[in-house]
Structures are given as C-alpha cells and as structure tokens.
C-alpha cells in the first residue's frame, strides 16, 4: 500500500478507504478503552488523530508509541466524531519504526523557548512553529523562481569562491588549502598567495552581483539565488555569517524600472505565500498575538501578521529621496525629543531605527528610498548629475528595516574607473568587470533581496536565526 501524506488525508478524499500513514508521534493520550495518537509528517501544521482500540492494541503493543517516535499505521479514514478534527484514522496496525525515549527526548508537550530550540536546531523542525516557518520558506523560494521564470529571466549560478569583494567592506571568509601551521612567505614576510590553490587570495562571496552583471550583458535579464557570506563579528538578531541572496540584473533598466520590478517581485512572492501557506501564516500570526500580550500596549503590533501582509500586497510602496527622508527624520518628534540612539544628518548611513521610523511611524507602509550620498554607497552605483548622490535605492519594510538594496549601475567607463580609484580598487583586479563597459556596455540596474529577511517579514519571526535551518553566527557552526 502506498503512503498518503497527512495533508492529503485531511482533505477527506480517502474517507472510507484503508490508508497507510507514516510520521512522528506528537502526543498520545487515552483511557482503558481507547488511545488517541496525534501523528504529523511535516506536510501540514495539522496533526492527524489515530484511534487505537485498547482491546485490539494492549499496553505492550503501544508502550513505544511515545512523543517523537516514528510510526507506520494502517487503518480506515473516517469522519471524526470528536471536536478539533474533521477526520481520523481507526487503526488496524501500528508499527514503531523508530523509538524516542520519553526520558531524554527534548521536545515534549510543553512550550519551549526559541533560544532553547536553537540549541537543538536538528530537532526544532518537528515543532509547530518551525514546521510553519520552513514550509513558508520553501514556498517563498519556489515563488522566487516562478516569478523570474514567468518574466523570461535566465537563472545564473554565480561563483561561491571569488577573488573580488563586491561590497568593498572587507568582511570576508578566506578560502585556502594552505597548511596554516606552515604558511609560505614572500621575501618581505607576507603570505605568498601565488602558492595557494588558485594562485591568488580568494574568499567566499559576499554577492553574486558583479558576475551577474556580466551575464546581463548577454542575456538582458538574469537572476542569481544562492548562498553569500559575511565575516562580520555581529551577534545581533539581524545578522548571519551565511545567508541567501536573490540578485537580479537587468540590461537597459534605469533606477525607476529597477524599483518597479523590486516592488512587483516582493508583492508577488508574498501573495504566493498567502495563497499556498495561509494556515501556517495564520498560526504564526496567532503566535505573535500571544507574544504581544506580554508587552506594554505601546510596543504591540498595530496589525496582525495577515493584515500586514495583505496591506503590503494591496498598497503602492511610498517613494522618497534620501534627502527627503533625512528632512522627515530631522523634523520628527522622535528626533526633537532625542529618542533616536544615532544622530541624523545629511550624509549618514541610515540606521535601522531611522528606517523603521520612516516605515512604521511616518508612512506606515513599505518605503523605497532613492538617491543616497555617493560616499556611503558602493563604487559601482551610477553617479547622479549633482555629483553628490548615486542612483541607489533601498526598500524598507515594517518590522525589519532594509529588505532590498539596489541601484542603477555605473556604465560610463571613465567615471567607474575614478570611483574604483577613490575606494582603492585597482583596475587590474577587475579587468573583466571593466570589459563589460569597454565592449557593448549599456545602462543597466539590479538589486539584492536578503532571502532570510523576507522570510522573517512573512513569518513574523523576530530573530533571523529562526528562519534559516542551521544558523551560522560568531562562535557557532554547529550541525
């Protein structure tokens, strides 16, 4: 007999039929007449109740049917007589495929803190919260590919190992096959990277953008979706050392077209998740409601998770320039009452508290901020006619701040070279990148969306470590 997943059984399509169910026991309760076993196989947040007659299955047969045990059950799917579930299985056979010692199995019926569950990330998928989070993550990932495929974009795999630093921040993980106890040195005592595997210093990528631009100069519209790495020694709820980025690059696009695509993209994937994971999102939303009850009234969410997501997909994003955003902040009650931790003035890199004020307090909707000062943005962003700002954009979302960063790229060879010099990048290090300006260059643009931040936004999870299966953070590379 072929196994049927719990999600399908709960539709009732197999009522009256003998079915085969396999999964993990969530709970077991009973009396001298009957046992009720809740089984989940990860296909849905809902458990399926299995009814085991006490006369048919004695205590000995059910003693290993404990929370966490893997079971295989055959029986008839019937309409449930009890409350709380529409269908249940009347068991004919129950086989324990894998025991779980109730004395040591760490996931019991009581609620567990998210901090504790991070310590057992290999088991946290079995909880309702993380089951919901990672089903939503799966749906969002599928929606990403669906969106770009429908628009005729080419999916490009950019390198994980690279010799360039697209962001210019220098916070990179080095890649080497050197014996670290016996490093080769040059005459002046520096590490001799010519003897390394690639013959030069290499690192894990911080972005696929530069390589993506090369592909866009042939295919017009491409996107990457892959892991990126940042060796930033930060232990905040917003940072990971390993995370996933979605980075489209489009030839013949200007900044406005870039922003339009990013807004359309965000709305599309959120709408797709609402259509395909509504039950999971409703559960996660209720979890937030319960969390809010413990907070002071002024710190509670104004909208439920579902309301927030519906609001985002049904409203146009607000658009302001960086200069306008700074003026709004400097005229805000929060600034005048000195409630911002960080100073506000033209030329600063907006902090998370500033971004969230714009989104959550002032506009009360997602905001696209454009035309940032050139000195706080990357060398590849197109210089505006004022000579002070670049054609950059960030999309700010409620709850988490920046969710997308992008720009029109600098296609003018002379200006690009000057910008590279100003930040200490040598032409010979990016000769291949400059070739795209030498040979058939054109106006083009692109953006990057941090996938984990998008998953955070859709699930309402407050810590980025809770939306990636196995978080990599300073002093933590477990599992």
């Amino acid at each position: 007999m072929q196994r049927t997943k719990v999600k399908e059984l709960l539709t009732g399509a197999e009522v009256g039929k003998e079915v085969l169910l396999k999964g993990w026991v969530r709970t077991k309760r009973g009396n001298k007449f009957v046992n009720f076993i809740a089984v989940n196989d990860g296909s849905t947040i809902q458990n399926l109740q299995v009814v085991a007659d006490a006369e048919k299955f004695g205590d000995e047969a059910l003693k290993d049917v404990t929370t966490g045990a893997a079971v295989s059950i055959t029986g008839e799917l019937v309409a449930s007589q009890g409350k709380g579930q529409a269908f249940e299985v009347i068991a004919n056979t129950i086989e324990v495929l894998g025991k779980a010692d109730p004395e040591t199995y760490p996931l019991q019926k009581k609620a567990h803190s998210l901090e504790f569950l991070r310590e057992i990330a290999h088991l946290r998928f079995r909880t309702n919260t993380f089951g919901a989070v990672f089903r939503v993550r799966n749906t969002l990932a599928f929606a990403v590919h669906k969106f770009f495929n429908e628009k005729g974009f080419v999916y490009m795999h950019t390198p994980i190992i690279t010799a360039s630093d697209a962001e210019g921040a220098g916070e990179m993980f080095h890649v080497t096959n050197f014996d670290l106890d016996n490093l080769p040195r040059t005459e002046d005592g520096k590490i001799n990277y010519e003897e390394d595997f690639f013959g030069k210093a290499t690192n894990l990528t911080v972005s696929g953008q530069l390589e993506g631009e090369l592909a866009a100069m042939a295919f017009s519209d491409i996107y990457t979706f892959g892991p990126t790495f940042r060796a930033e020694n930060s232990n905040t709820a917003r940072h990971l050392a390993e995370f996933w980025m979605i980075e489209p690059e489009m030839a013949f696009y200007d900044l406005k077209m870039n922003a339009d695509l990013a807004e359309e993209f965000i709305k599309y994937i959120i709408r797709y998740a609402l259509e395909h994971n509504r039950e999971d999102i409703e559960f996660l939303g209720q979890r937030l409601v319960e969390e809010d009850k413990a907070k002071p009234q002024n710190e509670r969410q104004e909208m439920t998770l579902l309301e927030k997501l519906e609001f985002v997909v049904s409203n146009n994003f607000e658009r302001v320039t960086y200069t306008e955003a700074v003026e709004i902040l400097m005229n805000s009650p929060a600034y005048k009452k000195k409630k911002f931790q960080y100073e506000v003035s033209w030329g600063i890199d907006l902090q998370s508290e500033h971004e969230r004020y714009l989104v959550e307090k002032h506009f009360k909707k997602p905001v696209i901020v454009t035309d940032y000062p050139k000195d706080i943005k990357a060398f590849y962003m197109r210089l505006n006619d004022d000579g002070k700002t670049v054609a950059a954009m960030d999309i700010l979302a409620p709850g988490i701040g920046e969710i997308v960063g992008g720009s029109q790229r600098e296609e003018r060879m002379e200006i690009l070279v000057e910008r590279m010099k100003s930040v200490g990048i040598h032409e010979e290090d990016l000769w291949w990148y400059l070739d795209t300006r030498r040979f058939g260059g054109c106006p083009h643009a692109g953006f990057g969306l941090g996938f984990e931040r998008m998953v955070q936004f859709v699930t309402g999870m407050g810590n980025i470590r809770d939306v990636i299966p196995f978080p990599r953070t300073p002093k933590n590379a477990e599992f």
Side-chain angles (χ1 to χ4, degrees), residues 104 111 135 149 191 252 280 298 306 323 396 412 454 462 475:
T104 56
R135 277 188 296 271
N149 190 60
I191 296 173
F252 316 114
D280 288 318
N298 65 328
L306 267 175
T323 300
L396 315 179
R412 298 164 295 186
M454 175 54 71
K475 304 291 188 281

Side-chain angles (χ1 to χ4, degrees), residues 396-443:
L396 315 179
I400 52 175
E402 182 192 336
I403 198 167
V404 163
S407 71
Q408 186 173 336
R409 315 311 190 190
E410 183 57 80
E411 85 280 9
R412 298 164 295 186
M413 181 76 168
E414 305 79 14
I415 296 176
L416 180 60
V417 169
E418 280 302 312
R419 290 279 286 143
M420 288 169 59
K421 284 179 182 175
S422 70
V423 296
I425 297 175
H426 301 294
E427 289 183 52
E428 56 268 27
D429 292 336
L430 288 180
W431 62 270
W432 45 271
Y433 186 68
L434 293 174
D435 268 1
T436 58
R437 277 67 176 172
R438 290 189 182 97
F439 308 127
C442 67

Side-chain angles (χ1 to χ4, degrees), residues 135-309:
R135 277 188 296 271
V136 171
R137 182 183 171 111
N138 168 71
T139 296
L140 288 170
F142 182 80
V144 168
H145 293 295
K146 193 170 187 294
F147 175 83
F148 287 117
N149 190 60
E150 289 173 2
K151 288 192 167 292
F153 278 58
V154 173
Y155 179 31
M156 190 63 55
H157 294 121
T158 52
I160 289 174
I161 300 173
T162 176
S164 64
D165 176 10
E167 299 302 314
E171 295 160 337
M172 300 171 296
F173 290 102
H174 298 290
V175 176
T176 181
N177 74 334
F178 278 155
D179 176 357
L180 299 184
D181 291 325
N182 187 26
L183 293 171
R185 301 280 180 178
T186 59
E187 288 184 2
D188 58 2
K190 295 180 179 178
I191 296 173
N192 186 1
Y193 284 106
E194 290 184 3
E195 294 188 27
D196 206 352
F197 186 88
F198 294 105
K200 62 170 69 175
T202 54
N203 50 271
L204 295 178
T205 186
V206 298
S207 168
Q209 180 208 310
L210 300 187
E211 293 85 357
E213 285 187 55
L214 311 184
M217 291 299 103
F219 298 106
S220 295
D221 301 323
I222 69 96
Y223 74 104
T224 76
F225 186 1
T228 52
F229 308 85
R230 198 70 56 86
E232 184 177 356
N233 190 15
S234 177
N235 254 316
T236 76
R238 300 177 69 245
H239 290 91
L240 290 166
E242 176 186 84
F243 52 98
W244 289 67
M245 287 286 289
I246 300 143
E247 297 175 290
E249 287 290 329
M250 296 76 62
F252 316 114
Y253 266 55
D254 61 19
L255 185 65
K256 182 182 181 304
M257 297 164 71
N258 196 29
D260 289 344
L261 182 75
E263 179 174 346
E264 182 187 358
F265 171 56
I266 288 171
K267 289 179 175 178
Y268 180 98
I269 62 177
I270 292 175
R271 193 177 292 115
Y272 194 86
L274 285 169
E275 290 172 2
H276 293 83
N277 287 83
R278 196 170 192 89
E279 199 172 43
D280 288 318
I281 293 170
E282 285 175 348
F283 170 83
L284 292 166
Q286 188 55 43
R287 178 187 161 276
L288 285 178
V289 169
E290 295 301 317
E291 261 190 9
D292 264 5
K293 288 178 181 177
K295 296 178 181 177
Q297 189 69 39
N298 65 328
E299 292 181 18
R300 296 180 186 179
Q301 303 290 327
E302 293 183 13
M303 290 187 279
T304 67
L305 181 60
L306 267 175
E307 286 170 344
K308 179 184 77 172
L309 297 176

Side-chain angles (χ1 to χ4, degrees), residues 80-97:
S80 179
Q81 301 302 307
K83 294 180 180 179
Q85 64 278 325
F87 306 99
E88 60 191 18
V89 169
I90 307 300
N92 290 328
T93 67
I94 300 175
E95 179 187 0
V96 176
L97 302 176

Side-chain angles (χ1 to χ4, degrees), residues 296-332:
Q297 189 69 39
N298 65 328
E299 292 181 18
R300 296 180 186 179
Q301 303 290 327
E302 293 183 13
M303 290 187 279
T304 67
L305 181 60
L306 267 175
E307 286 170 344
K308 179 184 77 172
L309 297 176
E310 296 281 9
F311 181 79
V312 167
V313 299
S314 59
N315 283 279
N316 292 330
F317 294 3
E318 193 71 35
R319 302 193 185 200
V320 296
T321 66
Y322 168 90
T323 300
E324 291 167 339
V326 169
E327 287 175 2
I328 290 168
L329 290 168
M330 293 185 75
N331 289 318
S332 69

